[in-house]
Amino acid sequence: MADRPNYITPEGLLNLKGEKYQLWSIERPKVVKVVTWAAGNGDRSENADYQYGKKRLREIDRRVRFLTKRIEAAQVVNPQEQTNRDQVFFGATVIYENDREEKVTVRIVGEDEVDSTKGLISWISPVARALIKGRVGDLVTVKTPKGEEELEILEICY
């Protein structure tokens, strides 16, 4: 990850900042309150609230450090500012047809935004790399574990 840019959409950056805020400003203070209360109950070695709370604080702190680094390294790319709208670039929503004649809709986003259930794929994924710079009507080849597959670009939206 460190050797390539951390491209992200404006919405993706907002989501990262929102998660960081939620963890740091809302969840962490609640856990600190529980840990403080549990610590006052005496023997910490057999105190489940204390043990779990300390573990959860470490998890929150680790995730906040990760989010902070990703936010600092983020290079925001706004798809709405794309001037060449007849080619596939970062942020594009692409409808393509695969070898099985299935129509698939994907949006090319940053690594921190990937959600396959919503059709959000990373710009470094094999499918995105095959689609990038393609135009409507182009046939592109993507290498999959099952071999090569041909995709036909049907539509590009920004």
Side-chain angles (χ1 to χ4, degrees), residues 28-98:
R28 193 175 194 285
K30 289 178 184 175
V31 176
V32 166
K33 192 179 285 187
V34 169
V35 168
T36 303
W37 167 81
N41 289 340
D43 186 10
R44 295 177 185 174
S45 64
E46 293 183 20
N47 186 329
D49 287 327
Y50 180 81
Q51 297 293 331
Y52 172 77
K54 291 296 280 186
K55 179 180 182 226
R56 183 66 188 132
L57 281 176
R58 286 190 299 275
E59 292 167 355
I60 290 170
D61 291 347
R62 188 176 313 116
R63 181 70 180 163
V64 166
R65 277 192 306 276
F66 173 79
L67 290 170
T68 299
K69 288 178 184 175
R70 296 302 286 170
I71 290 167
E72 288 171 355
Q75 294 182 31
V76 179
V77 178
N78 189 341
Q80 301 306 314
E81 295 172 1
Q82 179 56 255
T83 55
N84 186 357
R85 293 176 172 261
D86 55 338
Q87 267 187 298
V88 178
F89 293 106
F90 183 90
T93 299
V94 181
I95 300 174
Y96 66 84
E97 188 172 279
N98 60 25

